[in-house]
Coordinates of all heavy atoms in Angstrom, one line a residue:
E68 N -3.4 -16.5 -11.8 CA -2.2 -17.3 -11.4 C -2.2 -17.3 -9.8 O -2.3 -16.2 -9.3 CB -0.9 -17.0 -12.0 CG -0.9 -17.2 -13.6 CD 0.3 -16.8 -14.3 OE1 1.4 -16.8 -13.5 OE2 0.2 -16.5 -15.4
E69 N -2.0 -18.4 -9.2 CA -1.8 -18.4 -7.7 C -0.5 -17.6 -7.3 O 0.5 -17.8 -7.9 CB -1.7 -19.8 -7.3 CG -1.6 -19.9 -5.8 CD -1.5 -21.4 -5.4 OE1 -1.9 -22.3 -6.1 OE2 -1.0 -21.7 -4.3
V70 N -0.6 -16.8 -6.3 CA 0.5 -16.1 -5.8 C 1.1 -17.0 -4.7 O 0.3 -17.4 -3.7 CB 0.1 -14.8 -5.2 CG1 1.2 -14.0 -4.5 CG2 -0.5 -13.8 -6.2
K71 N 2.4 -17.3 -4.9 CA 3.0 -18.1 -4.0 C 3.9 -17.2 -2.9 O 4.6 -16.3 -3.4 CB 4.0 -19.1 -4.7 CG 3.1 -20.1 -5.4 CD 4.1 -21.0 -6.3 CE 3.2 -21.9 -7.2 NZ 3.8 -22.3 -8.3
V72 N 3.8 -17.5 -1.7 CA 4.4 -16.7 -0.7 C 5.4 -17.7 0.0 O 5.2 -18.8 0.2 CB 3.5 -16.2 0.4 CG1 4.2 -15.5 1.5 CG2 2.4 -15.5 -0.2
P73 N 6.8 -17.3 0.2 CA 7.2 -15.8 -0.1 C 7.4 -15.6 -1.6 O 7.8 -16.6 -2.4 CB 8.5 -15.8 0.7 CG 9.0 -17.3 0.6 CD 7.8 -18.2 0.6
L74 N 7.2 -14.5 -2.0 CA 7.5 -14.0 -3.4 C 9.0 -14.1 -3.7 O 9.8 -13.5 -2.9 CB 7.0 -12.6 -3.6 CG 5.5 -12.5 -3.4 CD1 5.1 -10.9 -3.5 CD2 4.6 -13.2 -4.4
T75 N 9.4 -14.8 -4.7 CA 10.8 -14.9 -5.0 C 11.0 -14.3 -6.4 O 11.2 -13.1 -6.6 CB 11.3 -16.3 -4.9 OG1 10.4 -17.2 -5.6 CG2 11.4 -16.7 -3.4
N76 N 10.8 -15.2 -7.4 CA 11.0 -14.7 -8.7 C 9.6 -14.7 -9.5 O 9.0 -15.7 -9.7 CB 11.9 -15.8 -9.4 CG 12.3 -15.4 -11.0 OD1 12.0 -14.2 -11.3 ND2 12.8 -16.2 -11.7
I77 N 9.2 -13.5 -9.8 CA 7.9 -13.3 -10.4 C 8.1 -13.0 -12.0 O 8.8 -12.1 -12.2 CB 7.0 -12.2 -9.9 CG1 6.8 -12.5 -8.3 CG2 5.8 -12.1 -10.6 CD1 6.2 -11.4 -7.5
S78 N 7.6 -13.9 -12.8 CA 7.8 -13.6 -14.2 C 6.5 -14.1 -14.9 O 5.9 -15.1 -14.5 CB 9.2 -14.2 -14.8 OG 9.0 -15.6 -14.7
H79 N 6.3 -13.5 -16.1 CA 5.1 -13.9 -16.9 C 5.7 -13.9 -18.3 O 6.5 -13.1 -18.7 CB 4.0 -12.9 -16.7 CG 3.5 -12.8 -15.4 ND1 2.6 -13.7 -14.9 CD2 3.7 -11.9 -14.4 CE1 2.3 -13.3 -13.7 NE2 2.9 -12.4 -13.2
K80 N 5.1 -14.8 -19.1 CA 5.5 -14.8 -20.6 C 4.8 -13.6 -21.2 O 3.7 -13.1 -20.8 CB 4.9 -16.1 -21.2 CG 5.6 -17.3 -20.7 CD 5.0 -18.6 -21.3 CE 5.7 -19.8 -20.7 NZ 5.2 -21.2 -21.2
S81 N 5.4 -13.2 -22.2 CA 4.9 -11.8 -22.9 C 3.6 -12.1 -23.5 O 2.9 -11.2 -23.9 CB 5.9 -11.3 -23.9 OG 6.2 -12.3 -24.9
D82 N 3.2 -13.3 -23.7 CA 1.9 -13.7 -24.4 C 0.9 -14.1 -23.4 O -0.2 -14.6 -23.8 CB 2.0 -14.6 -25.5 CG 2.5 -16.0 -25.1 OD1 3.0 -16.1 -23.9 OD2 2.5 -17.0 -25.8
S83 N 1.2 -13.9 -22.0 CA 0.2 -14.2 -21.0 C -1.1 -13.3 -21.3 O -1.1 -12.3 -21.8 CB 0.7 -13.8 -19.6 OG 1.8 -14.7 -19.3
V84 N -2.2 -14.0 -20.9 CA -3.6 -13.4 -21.1 C -3.6 -12.0 -20.6 O -4.1 -11.1 -21.3 CB -4.7 -14.2 -20.6 CG1 -6.0 -13.6 -20.7 CG2 -4.7 -15.6 -21.4
W85 N -3.3 -11.7 -19.3 CA -3.4 -10.5 -18.7 C -2.4 -9.4 -19.4 O -2.8 -8.3 -19.5 CB -3.1 -10.5 -17.2 CG -1.7 -10.6 -16.8 CD1 -1.0 -11.9 -16.6 CD2 -0.7 -9.6 -16.7 NE1 0.3 -11.5 -16.2 CE2 0.5 -10.2 -16.2 CE3 -0.8 -8.3 -16.7 CZ2 1.7 -9.5 -15.9 CZ3 0.4 -7.5 -16.4 CH2 1.5 -8.1 -16.0
I86 N -1.3 -9.8 -20.0 CA -0.4 -8.8 -20.7 C -1.0 -8.5 -22.1 O -1.0 -7.3 -22.4 CB 1.0 -9.4 -20.8 CG1 1.6 -9.6 -19.4 CG2 1.9 -8.5 -21.7 CD1 3.0 -10.3 -19.4
T87 N -1.5 -9.5 -22.7 CA -2.2 -9.2 -24.0 C -3.4 -8.4 -23.8 O -3.6 -7.5 -24.6 CB -2.6 -10.7 -24.6 OG1 -1.5 -11.4 -24.7 CG2 -3.2 -10.3 -26.0
Q88 N -4.2 -8.6 -22.7 CA -5.3 -7.7 -22.4 C -4.9 -6.2 -22.1 O -5.6 -5.3 -22.5 CB -6.2 -8.3 -21.3 CG -7.0 -9.6 -21.8 CD -7.7 -10.2 -20.7 OE1 -7.3 -10.1 -19.5 NE2 -8.7 -11.1 -21.1
M89 N -3.9 -6.2 -21.4 CA -3.4 -4.9 -21.0 C -3.0 -4.0 -22.3 O -3.3 -2.9 -22.4 CB -2.3 -4.9 -20.0 CG -1.7 -3.5 -19.5 SD -0.4 -3.6 -18.3 CE 0.8 -4.5 -19.1
R90 N -2.2 -4.6 -23.1 CA -1.8 -4.0 -24.3 C -3.0 -3.6 -25.2 O -3.1 -2.4 -25.7 CB -1.0 -5.0 -25.2 CG 0.5 -5.3 -24.6 CD 1.2 -6.1 -25.6 NE 2.5 -6.5 -25.0 CZ 3.2 -7.6 -25.1 NH1 2.5 -8.6 -25.7 NH2 4.3 -7.7 -24.5
S91 N -4.0 -4.4 -25.2 CA -5.2 -4.2 -26.0 C -5.9 -2.9 -25.4 O -6.4 -2.0 -26.1 CB -6.1 -5.3 -26.0 OG -7.3 -5.1 -26.7
T92 N -6.1 -2.9 -24.0 CA -6.7 -1.8 -23.3 C -6.0 -0.5 -23.6 O -6.5 0.5 -23.9 CB -6.7 -2.1 -21.8 OG1 -7.5 -3.2 -21.6 CG2 -7.3 -0.9 -21.1
L93 N -4.6 -0.6 -23.5 CA -3.9 0.7 -23.9 C -4.0 1.2 -25.3 O -4.0 2.4 -25.5 CB -2.4 0.5 -23.4 CG -2.2 0.4 -21.9 CD1 -0.7 -0.1 -21.7 CD2 -2.4 1.7 -21.3
R94 N -4.1 0.3 -26.2 CA -4.2 0.6 -27.6 C -5.6 1.2 -28.0 O -5.7 2.1 -28.7 CB -3.9 -0.5 -28.5 CG -2.5 -0.6 -28.9 CD -2.2 -1.7 -30.0 NE -1.1 -2.6 -29.6 CZ -1.1 -3.8 -29.2 NH1 -2.2 -4.5 -29.2 NH2 -0.1 -4.4 -28.9
Q95 N -6.6 0.5 -27.4 CA -8.0 0.7 -27.9 C -8.7 1.6 -27.1 O -9.9 2.1 -27.4 CB -8.7 -0.7 -28.0 CG -8.1 -1.5 -29.0 CD -8.6 -2.9 -29.0 OE1 -9.6 -3.2 -28.3 NE2 -8.1 -3.9 -29.9
N96 N -8.4 1.8 -25.8 CA -9.1 2.6 -24.9 C -8.3 3.8 -24.2 O -8.4 4.1 -23.0 CB -9.7 1.7 -23.8 CG -10.5 0.6 -24.3 OD1 -11.5 0.9 -25.1 ND2 -10.4 -0.7 -23.9
Q97 N -7.7 4.5 -25.0 CA -6.8 5.5 -24.5 C -7.5 6.6 -23.8 O -7.0 7.0 -22.6 CB -5.9 6.1 -25.6 CG -4.9 5.2 -26.2 CD -4.2 5.8 -27.5 OE1 -4.6 6.9 -27.9 NE2 -3.2 5.1 -28.0
A98 N -8.6 7.1 -24.2 CA -9.5 8.1 -23.6 C -9.9 7.6 -22.2 O -9.9 8.3 -21.3 CB -10.6 8.5 -24.4
A99 N -10.4 6.4 -22.2 CA -10.9 5.9 -20.9 C -9.7 5.7 -19.9 O -9.9 6.0 -18.7 CB -11.6 4.5 -21.1
V100 N -8.5 5.2 -20.3 CA -7.4 5.1 -19.5 C -7.1 6.5 -18.9 O -6.7 6.6 -17.7 CB -6.2 4.4 -20.2 CG1 -4.9 4.5 -19.5 CG2 -6.5 2.9 -20.5
L101 N -7.0 7.5 -19.8 CA -6.6 8.9 -19.4 C -7.6 9.4 -18.3 O -7.3 10.0 -17.4 CB -6.6 9.8 -20.6 CG -5.3 9.6 -21.5 CD1 -5.4 10.5 -22.7 CD2 -4.0 10.0 -20.6
D102 N -8.9 9.0 -18.6 CA -9.9 9.5 -17.6 C -9.7 8.7 -16.2 O -9.8 9.5 -15.1 CB -11.4 9.1 -18.1 CG -11.9 10.1 -19.1 OD1 -11.3 11.2 -19.3 OD2 -12.8 9.7 -19.8
K103 N -9.3 7.6 -16.2 CA -9.0 6.8 -15.1 C -7.9 7.4 -14.4 O -7.7 7.5 -13.2 CB -8.8 5.3 -15.3 CG -10.1 4.5 -15.6 CD -10.9 4.3 -14.5 CE -12.1 3.5 -14.9 NZ -13.1 3.3 -13.7
C104 N -6.8 7.9 -15.2 CA -5.7 8.5 -14.6 C -6.0 9.8 -13.9 O -5.4 10.1 -12.9 CB -4.5 8.7 -15.7 SG -3.8 7.2 -16.2
K105 N -7.0 10.5 -14.4 CA -7.5 11.7 -13.7 C -8.1 11.3 -12.4 O -7.9 12.1 -11.4 CB -8.6 12.5 -14.6 CG -7.8 13.1 -15.8 CD -9.0 13.8 -16.7 CE -8.4 14.3 -18.0 NZ -9.3 14.8 -18.9
E106 N -8.8 10.2 -12.3 CA -9.3 9.7 -11.1 C -8.2 9.4 -10.0 O -8.3 9.7 -8.8 CB -10.2 8.5 -11.2 CG -11.4 8.8 -12.0 CD -12.3 7.5 -12.3 OE1 -12.1 6.5 -11.5 OE2 -13.1 7.6 -13.2
I107 N -7.1 8.8 -10.6 CA -5.9 8.5 -9.7 C -5.4 9.8 -9.2 O -5.0 9.9 -8.0 CB -4.9 7.7 -10.5 CG1 -5.4 6.4 -10.8 CG2 -3.6 7.5 -9.8 CD1 -4.6 5.4 -11.7
L108 N -5.2 10.9 -10.0 CA -4.7 12.0 -9.5 C -5.6 12.7 -8.4 O -5.1 13.2 -7.5 CB -4.6 13.1 -10.7 CG -4.1 14.5 -10.3 CD1 -2.8 14.6 -9.7 CD2 -4.1 15.4 -11.6
S109 N -6.9 12.6 -8.7 CA -7.9 13.1 -7.6 C -7.7 12.2 -6.3 O -7.7 12.9 -5.2 CB -9.3 12.9 -8.1 OG -10.3 13.2 -7.2
S110 N -7.5 10.9 -6.4 CA -7.2 10.2 -5.2 C -5.9 10.6 -4.5 O -6.0 10.8 -3.3 CB -7.1 8.7 -5.6 OG -8.4 8.2 -6.0
Y111 N -5.0 10.8 -5.3 CA -3.6 11.3 -4.7 C -3.9 12.5 -4.0 O -3.3 12.7 -2.9 CB -2.7 11.4 -5.9 CG -1.4 12.1 -5.4 CD1 -0.4 11.4 -4.7 CD2 -1.1 13.5 -5.7 CE1 0.8 12.0 -4.3 CE2 0.0 14.0 -5.4 CZ 0.9 13.3 -4.6 OH 2.1 14.0 -4.2
E112 N -4.5 13.5 -4.6 CA -4.7 14.8 -3.9 C -5.5 14.7 -2.6 O -5.2 15.4 -1.6 CB -5.4 15.7 -4.9 CG -4.6 16.2 -6.0 CD -5.3 16.9 -7.1 OE1 -6.6 16.8 -7.2 OE2 -4.7 17.7 -7.9
S113 N -6.4 13.8 -2.6 CA -7.2 13.6 -1.4 C -6.3 12.8 -0.3 O -6.5 13.1 0.9 CB -8.5 12.8 -1.5 OG -8.3 11.4 -1.9
W114 N -5.5 11.9 -0.7 CA -4.5 11.2 0.2 C -3.7 12.1 0.9 O -3.3 11.9 2.1 CB -3.7 10.1 -0.5 CG -4.6 8.9 -1.1 CD1 -5.9 8.6 -0.7 CD2 -4.2 8.1 -2.1 NE1 -6.2 7.5 -1.5 CE2 -5.2 7.2 -2.4 CE3 -3.0 8.0 -3.0 CZ2 -5.3 6.2 -3.3 CZ3 -3.1 7.0 -3.9 CH2 -4.1 6.2 -4.2
L115 N -3.3 13.2 0.2 CA -2.4 14.1 0.8 C -3.0 14.8 2.1 O -2.3 15.2 3.0 CB -1.9 15.2 -0.1 CG -1.1 14.8 -1.3 CD1 -0.8 15.9 -2.3 CD2 0.3 14.2 -0.7
T116 N -4.3 14.9 2.1 CA -5.0 15.4 3.2 C -5.4 14.4 4.4 O -5.8 14.9 5.4 CB -6.3 16.1 2.8 OG1 -7.2 15.1 2.3 CG2 -6.1 17.2 1.7
F117 N -5.2 13.2 4.1 CA -5.6 12.2 5.1 C -4.8 12.3 6.3 O -3.6 12.5 6.2 CB -5.5 10.7 4.6 CG -6.5 10.3 3.6 CD1 -7.6 11.1 3.2 CD2 -6.5 9.1 2.9 CE1 -8.5 10.8 2.3 CE2 -7.5 8.7 2.1 CZ -8.5 9.5 1.8
A118 N -5.4 12.2 7.5 CA -4.8 12.3 8.8 C -4.5 11.0 9.5 O -3.9 11.0 10.5 CB -5.6 13.3 9.6
D119 N -5.0 9.9 9.0 CA -4.8 8.7 9.7 C -4.9 7.5 8.7 O -5.3 7.6 7.6 CB -5.6 8.5 10.9 CG -7.2 8.4 10.5 OD1 -7.5 7.8 9.5 OD2 -8.0 8.9 11.4
S120 N -4.4 6.4 9.2 CA -4.4 5.1 8.4 C -5.8 4.6 8.1 O -5.9 4.0 7.1 CB -3.5 4.0 9.0 OG -4.0 3.8 10.3
M121 N -6.7 4.9 9.0 CA -8.1 4.4 8.7 C -8.6 4.9 7.4 O -9.2 4.1 6.7 CB -8.9 4.8 10.0 CG -10.3 4.1 10.0 SD -10.2 2.5 10.7 CE -10.5 2.9 12.4
E122 N -8.3 6.2 7.1 CA -8.8 6.8 5.9 C -8.2 6.1 4.7 O -8.9 5.8 3.7 CB -8.7 8.3 5.9 CG -9.3 9.1 6.8 CD -9.0 10.5 6.8 OE1 -7.8 10.9 7.2 OE2 -9.7 11.4 6.3
F123 N -6.9 5.9 4.7 CA -6.2 5.2 3.7 C -6.8 3.8 3.4 O -7.2 3.4 2.3 CB -4.7 5.0 3.9 CG -4.0 6.1 3.3 CD1 -3.5 7.1 4.1 CD2 -3.6 6.1 2.0 CE1 -2.7 8.1 3.5 CE2 -2.9 7.1 1.3 CZ -2.4 8.0 2.2
F124 N -6.9 2.9 4.4 CA -7.4 1.6 4.3 C -8.9 1.6 3.8 O -9.2 0.7 2.9 CB -7.2 0.8 5.6 CG -5.8 0.3 5.9 CD1 -5.1 1.0 6.9 CD2 -5.2 -0.7 5.0 CE1 -3.8 0.6 7.1 CE2 -3.9 -1.1 5.3 CZ -3.2 -0.4 6.3
D125 N -9.7 2.5 4.3 CA -11.0 2.7 3.8 C -11.1 3.0 2.2 O -11.7 2.5 1.5 CB -11.8 3.7 4.6 CG -13.2 3.8 4.2 OD1 -13.8 2.7 4.0 OD2 -13.9 4.8 4.4
D126 N -10.2 4.1 1.9 CA -10.2 4.4 0.5 C -9.7 3.5 -0.5 O -10.2 3.2 -1.6 CB -9.4 5.7 0.4 CG -9.6 6.4 -1.0 OD1 -10.7 6.9 -1.2 OD2 -8.7 6.4 -1.9
L127 N -8.8 2.6 0.0 CA -8.2 1.5 -0.7 C -9.1 0.3 -0.8 O -8.8 -0.7 -1.5 CB -6.8 1.1 -0.4 CG -5.8 2.2 -0.6 CD1 -4.4 1.8 0.1 CD2 -5.6 2.5 -2.0
G128 N -10.2 0.3 0.0 CA -11.0 -0.9 0.1 C -10.5 -2.0 0.9 O -11.0 -3.2 0.7
L129 N -9.6 -1.6 1.8 CA -9.1 -2.8 2.7 C -9.4 -2.6 4.1 O -9.1 -3.6 4.9 CB -7.4 -2.6 2.7 CG -6.8 -2.9 1.3 CD1 -5.3 -2.6 1.4 CD2 -7.0 -4.4 1.0
L130 N -10.3 -1.7 4.4 CA -10.6 -1.6 5.8 C -11.4 -2.8 6.4 O -11.0 -3.3 7.5 CB -11.5 -0.3 6.1 CG -11.8 0.1 7.5 CD1 -10.5 0.3 8.3 CD2 -12.7 1.3 7.6
A131 N -12.3 -3.3 5.7 CA -13.0 -4.5 6.2 C -12.1 -5.7 6.4 O -12.1 -6.4 7.5 CB -14.1 -4.9 5.2
E132 N -11.1 -5.9 5.6 CA -10.2 -6.9 5.6 C -9.2 -6.7 6.9 O -9.0 -7.7 7.6 CB -9.3 -7.1 4.5 CG -8.4 -8.4 4.4 CD -7.8 -8.6 3.1 OE1 -8.3 -8.1 2.1 OE2 -6.8 -9.4 3.1

Side-chain angles (χ1 to χ4, degrees):
E68 296 178 23
E69 183 180 338
V70 176
K71 295 177 181 151
V72 178
L74 300 175
T75 51
N76 183 14
I77 301 172
S78 63
H79 299 277
K80 295 179 180 176
S81 61
D82 61 347
S83 294
V84 173
W85 73 268
I86 293 175
T87 305
Q88 289 175 339
M89 181 175 63
R90 286 182 186 143
S91 175
T92 298
L93 288 170
R94 268 191 227 111
Q95 298 171 4
N96 301 314
Q97 292 174 355
V100 170
L101 287 174
D102 285 342
K103 291 287 187 183
C104 287
K105 290 177 188 174
E106 291 175 24
I107 292 173
L108 177 60
S109 177
S110 292
Y111 170 75
E112 290 171 338
S113 69
W114 295 338
L115 292 174
T116 67
F117 284 1
D119 62 37
S120 55
M121 190 81 86
E122 290 178 290
F123 264 101
F124 285 108
D125 188 30
D126 193 69
L127 294 172
L129 290 172
L130 189 57
E132 188 171 340

